Amino acid sequence: MGTYRILIAKPGLDGHDRGAKVIARALRDAGMEVIYLGLRQTPEMIAEAALQEDVDAVGLSILSGAHMTLLPRVVELLEQNGLDDVMVFAGGIIPDEDVPALKKTGVRGIFGPGTRIEDVVAFVHEQLGSKVTGES
Amino acid sequence: MAKDIVERLLAGDRRAVARLISRVENDGHEAVKALTALHPHTGQAHIVGVTGAPGTGKSTLVNELAKAYRAAGVRVGIVAVDPTSPFSGGALLGDRIRMRDLSGDPGVFIRSMATRGNLGGLARATADVVKVLDAAGYQTVLVETVGAGQSEVDIARTAHTTLVVEAPGLGDDVQAIKAGVLEIADILVVNKADREGAEHTKRALQMMLDLGTDQNVRHHGQISAVEGAAGVSPNGQGWRPIICSTVAVRGRGVTELMQAIADHQRYLQESGGWADRERARAAAELDRLLRDQLVTHVVKRIGRRAIDQALEQIVTRQVDAHAAVAVLLANAGLE
């Protein structure tokens, strides 16, 4: 079957990537292959990388408050590129009141400040484990 | 099923390329079918390996090289390999970070791979992944490996042209010389050439090359036991590695490097070295596949139980391993 491949990126203009790096390392320690894109990614760059790397999930870290624009845009681009089976999750500074709307647009999990790393790892495991992997 | 996705790849569907790469990477039945279907479409790409110690700027250099190729209208595939953690089985694949400039360009395809336990600097599937990109029409495929060391033998078997990247100031001695990696280099790149010590590094490399080639004959990839080792032309002149200086971060020296790569390609084609390299690659692949299959078959024939029993006998010192294996083979009729 192979190993799970996860893309971790920071869309928008955030300058702080410590959280994203922590999650990336945690997922690596959990046995996954993490493609780390880093800072200042546009939704287009993220979708392009997700396509080329044939990832199972995309994790986005946003601290700037631009999540209501950026996250749905990423989901939209993934779908446009035929990547609707890619699981999208997000973390950073995302207020609770925005969570329902984000989930409606297709973001599967949202992890605000104070999230425990183990919870993110467990979530990714659980979501991907229940993924149906068919032939393309 | 395999034919369908291959057709889509040939029609330019990049998702098909990505899916096929995954299939090939995960090995197994589907991979074999895919590779068989792709085979007639492979053999065009110029495969350029890029290796060197961590911190020498390989990824940045690959980014600049790719940009230069694109400016020349060449379609570029990039395979960036990073190590799998032996403890967790996971990997952090961070080479794409240096390649932002290439995003949005449909003439570039970048794929990150983890070594997944292989020790030679590449993943076992890397050569096959390169074939997918080759079949998809990427004319130059840059393969960036983990880092320089004596374990970097894989790249010599996989690439037509191998670049070894050095950088000044990484220690008193040139890393490539210390690691014994000079033999595999067709082109030596002194990156970060604007730093102090760059001239010293160049001179040290020059000296090593002068010492090593008293007959002006180079054997590329010493592992290939094939007759007429690549890089040796009938008149014995051979290819003398070129030393290039670059400042990748500023894009300096990249045009000259591209020219050196083109020169090496032409040398290979004119000297018959290209055919030799292809032969060596095929031989290495055939050897590896045969070994894998043979071991699987033999183990099946002998039976796990017999092997476990032999292990017990060895551990209790009733017999040594060599004798035990001889018995196992004889009993299975494989003498």
Side-chain angles (χ1 to χ4, degrees):
Chain A
M1 212 241 96
T3 321
Y4 289 131
R5 289 164 65 85
I6 321 287
L7 183 71
I8 299 289
K10 290 187 63 70
L13 298 173
D14 286 0
H16 295 283
D17 56 2
R18 197 158 147 270
K21 282 182 172 164
V22 164
I23 296 294
R25 282 196 289 262
L27 291 172
R28 175 203 58 194
D29 293 341
M32 306 187 192
E33 289 172 0
V34 181
I35 293 108
Y36 183 72
L37 276 193
L39 299 168
R40 285 184 286 277
Q41 299 294 305
T42 64
E44 288 74 16
M45 286 165 149
I46 292 167
E48 180 189 53
L51 184 148
Q52 291 179 358
E53 301 285 356
D54 194 21
V55 297
D56 300 295
V58 170
L60 303 166
S61 160
I62 306 183
L63 306 171
S64 63
H67 48 274
M68 292 306 293
T69 325
L70 292 170
L71 293 180
R73 181 74 184 130
V74 170
V75 174
E76 184 187 4
L77 284 171
L78 289 173
E79 279 165 14
Q80 276 176 19
N81 281 283
L83 299 170
D84 9 16
D85 55 347
V86 173
M87 195 272 290
V88 180
F89 62 107
I93 309 288
I94 297 172
D96 289 337
E97 56 257 33
D98 289 342
V99 169
L102 285 173
K103 286 213 166 145
K104 264 232 211 63
T105 68
V107 182
R108 207 78 72 73
I110 292 153
F111 300 93
T115 296
R116 296 185 326 153
I117 300 167
E118 312 89 90
D119 291 340
V120 179
V121 176
F123 174 81
V124 173
H125 263 306
E126 181 219 345
Q127 290 291 315
L128 295 184
S130 61
K131 206 169 95 125
V132 176
T133 45
E135 295 294 351
S136 60
Chain B
M1 207 64 218
K3 232 176 49 141
D4 173 51
I5 191 174
V6 168
E7 270 158 24
R8 285 194 279 129
L9 173 147
L10 294 170
D13 180 348
R14 282 149 75 75
R15 179 128 166 87
V17 177
R19 284 295 219 197
L20 262 173
I21 289 177
S22 298
R23 213 175 272 194
V24 149
E25 190 179 23
N26 294 332
D27 218 351
H29 195 52
E30 289 305 311
V32 174
K33 291 205 310 215
L35 287 166
T36 303
L38 283 171
H39 186 75
H41 307 279
T42 61
Q44 279 85 250
H46 181 197
I47 305 166
V48 179
V50 181
T51 189
T56 49
K58 292 189 298 296
S59 293
T60 309
L61 187 65
V62 166
N63 180 54
E64 290 300 317
L65 260 179
K67 272 162 58 178
Y69 276 112
R70 291 301 298 138
V74 176
R75 299 184 72 218
V76 180
I78 297 173
V79 182
V81 187
D82 274 316
T84 293
S85 159
F87 306 109
S88 70
L92 203 47
L93 310 177
D95 296 322
R96 284 190 86 111
I97 285 188
R98 307 262 182 260
M99 302 182 194
R100 306 176 57 93
D101 298 335
L102 303 171
S103 70
D105 184 345
V108 178
F109 197 106
I110 304 171
R111 180 73 176 219
S112 312
M113 290 184 77
T115 52
R116 293 192 181 175
N118 199 47
L119 294 176
L122 298 179
R124 283 161 63 91
T126 301
D128 289 335
V129 169
V130 169
K131 286 183 197 156
V132 177
L133 292 171
D134 181 357
Y138 295 95
Q139 299 149 296
T140 295
V141 180
L142 303 168
V143 181
E144 186 188 333
T145 84
V146 176
Q150 270 146 349
S151 61
E152 295 303 297
V153 288
D154 283 354
I155 195 64
R157 282 196 191 108
T158 305
H160 297 111
T161 302
T162 300
L163 273 48
V164 175
V165 185
E166 268 295 333
L170 289 183
D172 289 334
D173 289 320
V174 177
Q175 299 298 315
I177 294 173
K178 280 203 306 208
V181 146
L182 275 193
E183 288 102 324
I184 68 166
D186 296 303
I187 298 170
L188 288 153
V189 184
V190 179
N191 190 33
K192 308 193 184 186
D194 54 348
R195 289 215 185 151
E196 196 174 317
E199 275 313 303
H200 167 78
T201 302
K202 271 185 85 169
R203 275 199 303 268
L205 288 170
Q206 198 65 59
M207 209 171 62
M208 291 309 293
L209 289 179
D210 290 339
L211 285 174
T213 59
D214 48 355
Q215 290 158 16
N216 255 3
V217 162
R218 293 291 299 182
H219 295 272
H220 178 113
Q222 71 279 16
I223 342 87
S224 69
V226 178
E227 283 228 353
V232 183
S233 55
N235 67 3
Q237 271 310 313
W239 170 266
R240 187 184 163 79
I242 294 175
I243 300 176
C244 290
S245 292
T246 57
V247 183
V249 142
R250 305 217 188 292
R252 283 200 237 135
V254 178
T255 318
E256 291 79 1
L257 178 56
M258 245 179 82
Q259 188 56 54
I261 295 171
D263 288 346
H264 184 249
Q265 183 182 22
R266 192 176 50 249
Y267 160 78
L268 285 180
Q269 285 162 340
E270 287 170 4
S271 67
W274 188 276
D276 288 341
R277 290 261 77 227
E278 288 293 310
R279 190 183 184 80
R281 285 173 62 222
E285 183 183 20
L286 182 62
D287 187 61
R288 175 175 74 83
L289 289 174
L290 269 176
R291 272 171 206 266
D292 289 349
Q293 291 293 325
L294 283 171
V295 168
T296 309
H297 280 288
V298 166
V299 165
K300 213 154 105 185
R301 185 98 91 88
I302 292 176
R304 201 67 241 179
R305 226 161 46 113
I307 295 175
D308 290 341
Q309 282 168 359
L311 178 62
E312 280 312 307
Q313 292 185 314
I314 295 167
V315 163
T316 54
R317 309 202 81 89
Q318 293 171 53
V319 75
D320 73 279
H322 295 276
V325 168
V327 168
L328 283 174
L329 288 174
N331 288 348
L334 290 163
E335 209 56 293

